Amino acid sequence: MSVNRRDFLQLVGKAWIATPFFAGTWGCAPAVTRADPKTGLSLNCVAGDTTSDRALIWVRAEAASRVSIHYGTDPSLGRYVATEPVAVQSASDNTAHVEIERLKPATRYYYRAAVVGKKPGAIARFVTAPAVNDDAPVRFCFSGDSRESYQPFTIMDAIRLQQPDFFLHLGDTIYADRGGAARRLPDFWEKYRANRQDAPTQRLFSETAVYVVWDDHEVADNYMPGHPLAPVGRRAFFDYWPVRRHAQEPDRIYRSFRWGRAMELFILDTRQYRNPKEGSILGSEQKRWLFEKLGASTARFKIIATPVPLYGGGRDRWDGYPLDRLELLDWVTRNHISGLICISADLHYAAVSRVPRTNGVKEITVGPIAAPMNVLANGNANRFEFFSNETFNYGMITIDPKASRAHAQVEILDQDNRVMYKTRIASET
């Protein structure tokens, strides 16, 4: 396949600049992100793992400080509830996670962090999920793959203009193994600080909540369980994202979230439970959890979010674990799971694929947010309904359960919010 000069430079040139060998000359400056002396805060807060009645707030502040979250429905926070102050942890790079609870469903909340003895920080906002039987519409955006050397991540501003109920980051939230490879926990923290201080990212995260999952570049390219840096990368991931820890399984990342009657979101971890000898990308416990949750869900649409795609080639994706993929698709068919949509990233191109062995299930693959485009790929495979590897992109799904025939509107948009692809998927329930 021929590659023009612009694409060659985009694929090879920037990747070459970002390699660890040249990090001393070409790498980005260290992300110091000192605390604001007036507020005692460094970096903006991030709300995540929102449900119908609670949210988790991530905050970073000056060392040894105590911080509380002010929150309420008044945009100016003239009246608010304040959480009990908690200490930021030096062992977690002076970050803290604060749970706010007893929230109302389908409600916009405003919040800010306040260090004890300092001026409160800027006001941000998020919306809670509708109650299980609420017919409220839902709109969310998703993408993956954000490499530090490609800042500013201008696509985050495009996403912000859509005013989504939440943003889902589908992995490769940092590139720990590029631009000076991370080897120690502080190195990983620095990678997160560098990406979090990106201005478009801060603007988006101040206006909506996030869900997030990891893939390989949070540790190392195509890493497998047992990699010596996996525990370090996982710890940094939890330190820097508002991901609620599971009481019995604190390292668990897979989880689900219900958004009214419209949808249920199933976020899979396709990285830390892999077992090539057993042909499993999910591991037995996660697979059992997924089947039970899918089978019990009464949502009109079930969204499976997998960091690596079901189809896309290569041993590092579901293609390398065909037994797990076959078991999942056969189970979905046998159990008549309706309204199923799969979303993924990782391939550095946008595509819509018809999933074999299903009754019309589609996989929506998007990205990158900002990283080299996969200019060597093409859209010749029969499974493709749409393919583009020319620009950064993201996906958006809008579901209105109150429509005469409930449907999910699926769109893929570029960094200038031009629609690249659009379709409607009808619910069977």
Side-chain angles (χ1 to χ4, degrees), residues 30 203 307 317 351:
R203 287 191 287 267
R317 304 179 180 98

Side-chain angles (χ1 to χ4, degrees), residues 342-408:
C342 298
I343 60 176
S344 58
D346 184 57
L347 292 175
H348 293 218
Y349 62 69
V352 177
S353 304
R354 294 174 289 271
V355 179
R357 306 182 69 90
T358 64
N359 186 21
V361 173
K362 294 182 180 180
E363 179 173 33
I364 317 301
T365 302
V366 293
I369 290 169
M373 297 302 303
N374 188 348
V375 297
L376 300 181
N378 62 66
N380 295 335
N382 290 332
R383 71 177 185 276
F384 287 131
E385 185 173 296
F386 168 81
F387 176 89
S388 175
N389 60 353
E390 296 180 356
T391 182
F392 302 152
N393 61 86
Y394 69 96
M396 181 166 68
I397 295 179
T398 306
I399 302 172
D400 185 358
K402 294 182 290 187
S404 56
R405 186 181 181 191
H407 65 270

Side-chain angles (χ1 to χ4, degrees), residues 17 21-28:
I17 288 174
F21 181 81
F22 294 98
T25 304
W26 299 100
C28 294

Side-chain angles (χ1 to χ4, degrees), residues 44-83:
N44 289 357
C45 296
V46 185
D49 275 15
T50 49
T51 69
S52 62
D53 62 356
R54 57 181 178 156
L56 189 64
I57 310 299
W58 175 93
V59 62
R60 186 173 188 266
E62 60 189 13
S65 62
R66 293 172 59 80
V67 62
S68 68
I69 301 298
H70 301 170
Y71 65 97
T73 57
D74 176 5
S76 67
L77 288 182
R79 299 183 65 182
Y80 60 83
V81 177
T83 65

